[in-house]
Structures are given as structure tokens and as C-alpha cells.
Amino acid sequence: MSAADPTALNTQLPSTLDPAQPRAARNTQGMLALLAAIRAQEAEIRQGGGTKAIEAQHGKKRLTARERIALLLDPDTELFELALFAAFGMYEEWGGAPSAGVVTGLGRVSGRLCMIVANDATVKAGAFFPMTAKKVLRAQHIAMENRIPTLYLVDSAGVFLPLQEDVFPDQDDFGRIFRNNAVMSAQGIPQITAIMGMCVAGGAYLPVMTDHVLMTEGSGLFLAGPALVQAAIGQKYSAEELGGATMHAEISGTVDFKEPNDHLCIARLRSLVSRIGDKGRAPFDRAAYDAVKDAPKYAAEGLCALLDPDPARPSAYDMHEVIARIVDRSEFDEYRPDYGRTVLCGYARIGGFAVGLVANQKLPQPQTSHTGEKRIEFGGVIYSESADKAARFILDCNQNLIPLIFLHDVNGFMVGRDAEWSGIIRSGAKMVTAVANSVVPKISVIVGGSFGAGNYAMCGKAYDPRFLFAWPTARYAVMSGASAANTLAEIRLRQLERDGKKLSDQEKEELIASIKSTYEEQTDCRYAAARLWVDAIIDPAKTREALLTALEAAALNPDVPKFNPGILQT
């Protein structure tokens, strides 16, 4: 049938984006500059503890964490790194902890998609800072939700003692890691540990609670090291005698495989992974897929032209342009396209996987109210109609076992008399309830702003997305910078006035500028990534690749709970 045939269904999205147009060109230039700055910071983070620390690691005839991972992964594949920016700008009084002293991510090992957790011994001997524990816990949580085989490359001195009170006792602290080891084992999730350095104190439990334990000669595995044993009970032993690989292989029987060096240990680890069986896949539909024929019709690089990286210049753009560059063949079956237009909903495929998309529309939209009033609705704002539509769509995707993808650029819910009369609270509660009780995998991408309750409705971190990615333009806060800065400045000025202090106009301007600068820094995606509020900062042009990796991970879990949407406000 020809394209003009009235009986032929055409779901391919058109595109009017012209990257050469002045505003688009300026946006691209700004985005590329921002990406370059982020890439430079990433390169510095990947140096871990620095050149001297790397040389010291090599002096012990050990590889660094990243060198080990490179050997572990299948040829011509790369680690999809998660939480690279963890602890960014934190612990500066202790010399910093690049990437929280541990490398985590998804990678292919002997053809299997695995979660990899590797201590970076170049950062404070691989000691656990508070964010180190939380980063490992996030990796384990992702592995549990998606049933991903997990490989631990251990080289750690244990808890960073000066901060032990923030690492040791709480529910989401160090001990939770070992609890998760036990739970993952009970769930049948394969776990294998390779000890390639020190494994001391509480950290010694981690490898022994996994399915297989590998250990290199020269490594140490003990609850208490030689110095502590001598101090505690007066006995003096060498590290090898107390907890070396030979002792554990021949006497304690704790390790399953003793290997002479890192290279052979990793080869053994790859061999063990190659024998892991397949326990079935999730019941989500995946059509036959050809990476070339089914690629989007428009270049992914065009995504860099859509948003202005300067938060002072809010971007108005058509979210269809984003969808057209991440879904197969740029085909999108839009759900209720003429109703509740500030939220886009619809069906598509990514890498053959059927998905449902929920996305904020950033262009102003015409809408006719129930009373017949015609109005223009603000882009990026969730109105009653759009919340009702999105809630209904989310329920449908759960009913039909279709994973959900949320594309955030949301200012929040509409406010004011008309909004309140329309039942915005009720409609918003309906959408939030649908998101909260959703049982299919949810994956979120913060494209621009993700503010206030809009973050909740669009499946923010509190609503259990399997993965949460952010573009460099992402902003993450209870409200936008300008609004918050003005509010905070007003509060501060009133406090000063109550204390009898009078500020000049210049001092007021400086105060407002200072508050705004601090707030803007805290809404930056790197600030969020440092605290694990997002899993990775991604190049907009790599959005489709990130989503495909996330969907492949989600498909490893064959179990989908029974969907019970609870009570919906109607």
C-alpha cells in the first residue's frame, strides 16, 4: 500500500526540528559545552585516587578496579556505568572519595548481562564511606528487582572509621549489604565474589555469603587483621597465616578457587558465569528487531538542539521530537492525543520491546473545559485532564504487561481557583496512585525540570523506577530556582528585619544572587547524581541506548506481581 492509501495506518511521527535554526544551533552549542564539562569531570573521577595510588596498586602486582572490569567484560563491549558521580563534591575534608570508592554498572560477561560491583583500592584502600555503602546497596537493589547475576570484585579495607557512625548502624547502611546477599541468594540470583586484595572486618562476610568465592594469592580475608588480633588477644600472626588464600583454600575451606593473580582469577570468574542457567524471561512482548531497519528515522544528535542548558531561559519544545528519536522507526501510537495535551501518552517499541510512554509536553496546548471554555494550557504543567488521562493509561499498561517509560520536564500540577474547582488534587492523587501501585518495570528519564509533586506523578526516585537517568539539563527540586530563590530571599530578608538589620539595595541584590546560586547548584544534575538520586547522567543522543540496556535488564525478571491499583479517587 502507498503512503497515501487511506486504509494504511501511519504512526510515524513527523519532525520539524531544524538543527541549523539559530535557536537550535545555540542550544546544541550550549549542550555540547555542558557535556564536555561533564565528560572532563568524569575522566577525572575515573582516575580514582590518582596516579600515585594507581602506581601503588600496580606495585602490589594488582590491577585497578577499572582494569579488572575491562578484563572481565566480553571483547568489544563496555560497562554501562551507574552512579559514576556518587559522592561528587563530598567528603572534601577527607580528601574526597571519587565515585564513592567503588565502581558499579551493567556489563556483558560470557554473554550474560551482569551487575558488577568493584571496590576501588586506589581510593582510601577501598574503604566504605557512607555513600559507598549506599551505592553498593543501589546496585544490589537494581540486581534484585531485575534478577541480574551479580559479580563482586573485592579489594577493601572495610569501613572508613572516621565516619563509622554514618556507615555502620542504620537500616540502609553497611550491614544491609550482607542482608541483601542473603536475600538475593534466597531469590535465586547468582552471586560470585573474587577477592583480589584485602577483605577485612565486616566486609569479610560479603564474599562468604555469595555462591562462589575466588581468591588471589597475596590477598587477605579475615574478620580481624594481624594488628587488631595482636591488640585484642596478644597473638602475633602474619597476614598470610591469619587469612591468606592458601590458608582458606587448604585449611578453613572458605574459598572455592585459589588463583595466582588477577588475570587468572578473572578468567575463572568468566568461566563460572558462562555456566549460569537461564531461568526464563519476563512476559513482556518483544518483536523481532533489526538494529538498522528499526532505528529511529531521525538522528539522535538532534536531541541536543531542543533544550537551552541555561536554566534562566526555559525551553518550550515539542516532546514528540524526543519520542521520535528514541523509539523504533519513530512510530508512536498516541493515546487520546486531543485530550489532556500537556501530558503525552502512547505505545511504541524500543529495541523491539513494547513500551508505554508518559511524557510532559512543553509546548502550550489548546484545551476546551467541561463548561465549553477555550483556554491555552501551559507546557510542562499537569492539569486535571492530563492527570486523568495519564492515570488511565498507566492502568492499561499494567493490565497488559507493558513496561512504562517516563520522560520528565515538569513544573508541577496546575494551581489556582479554576484548577482547584476542576479537582486537580483528586486527579493528581489518581495519577500518583497509579504510578505507586504499578507492577510493570518503570524507567524514568529527567530531560529538563522535575519539580514538586510533578516529580512524584512522573515516577521520581520515591516511586521505585527500575532505573532513573538524567540529561545534563536535568533540574531536580521542590520548585524551580527562580521561584525558590525569591521565596527564600524574602524569608531571609524578613528575618534580618526582625533582628533590626537594614540592608541596602545592593546588599539585598547580593543576598538574592547568593541564595539563587546556592539553590541552582543544588538543583544541578551532578548534585543529584552525587547523592544517588539519579543512576546516571547520560548524553541525550545516548538516551535510546540507555533505555534499551534498562529494558534488557528488566526482562531478566520473569515474575510480575498481581496488579492491584487500590482505591482511585473518581
Side-chain angles (χ1 to χ4, degrees), residues 309-387:
D310 186 348
R313 296 195 293 260
S315 302
Y317 62 93
D318 188 349
M319 186 62 85
H320 289 100
E321 298 283 5
V322 177
I323 296 171
R325 285 163 176 78
I326 63 174
V327 302
D328 294 357
R329 299 176 300 280
S330 301
E331 293 178 353
F332 181 58
D333 289 285
E334 188 164 355
Y335 177 81
R336 298 186 185 176
D338 300 318
Y339 182 74
R341 299 183 188 192
T342 62
V343 174
L344 305 178
C345 300
Y347 309 97
R349 291 187 183 273
I350 295 178
F353 285 103
V355 296
L357 290 108
V358 181
N360 303 114
Q361 173 59 284
K362 289 296 289 183
L363 290 178
Q365 295 295 310
Q367 181 67 47
T368 302
S369 72
H370 296 298
T371 62
E373 175 193 5
K374 295 185 183 299
R375 63 174 186 259
I376 297 295
E377 296 185 339
F378 298 108
V381 176
I382 302 176
Y383 290 76
S384 294
E385 298 89 352
S386 45

Side-chain angles (χ1 to χ4, degrees), residues 284-291 294-296 322-332 346-358 402-407 443 445 469 542-553 555:
F284 313 126
D285 185 67
R286 188 177 192 185
Y289 169 68
D290 184 290
D294 296 323
V322 177
I323 296 171
R325 285 163 176 78
I326 63 174
V327 302
D328 294 357
R329 299 176 300 280
S330 301
E331 293 178 353
F332 181 58
Y347 309 97
R349 291 187 183 273
I350 295 178
F353 285 103
V355 296
L357 290 108
V358 181
I402 301 173
L404 284 159
I405 292 172
F406 294 83
L407 302 176
I443 303 166
V445 181
F469 305 125
K542 302 290 186 182
T543 304
R544 175 177 165 85
E545 295 176 27
L547 290 172
L548 182 51
T549 299
L551 288 166
E552 288 177 340

Side-chain angles (χ1 to χ4, degrees), residues 483-504:
S483 302
N486 291 334
T487 302
L488 290 170
E490 183 68 24
I491 293 171
R492 181 61 179 149
L493 286 170
R494 288 179 181 176
Q495 288 174 336
L496 291 171
E497 288 173 357
R498 281 198 298 269
D499 293 339
K501 297 178 181 178
K502 293 289 185 181
L503 299 182
S504 67

Side-chain angles (χ1 to χ4, degrees), residues 449-523:
S450 188
F451 299 121
N455 170 269
Y456 307 153
M458 292 297 294
C459 194
K461 185 68 182 287
Y463 288 80
D464 303 314
R466 298 281 183 97
F467 296 90
L468 200 159
F469 305 125
W471 284 12
T473 43
R475 296 277 162 180
Y476 209 161
V478 71
M479 65 174 69
S480 64
S483 302
N486 291 334
T487 302
L488 290 170
E490 183 68 24
I491 293 171
R492 181 61 179 149
L493 286 170
R494 288 179 181 176
Q495 288 174 336
L496 291 171
E497 288 173 357
R498 281 198 298 269
D499 293 339
K501 297 178 181 178
K502 293 289 185 181
L503 299 182
S504 67
D505 290 343
Q506 182 178 346
E507 288 173 328
K508 288 180 180 179
E509 289 178 6
E510 290 174 353
L511 176 64
I512 293 171
S514 174
I515 290 173
K516 186 172 182 180
S517 175
T518 300
Y519 197 86
E520 290 293 352
E521 178 185 346
Q522 293 175 353
T523 64

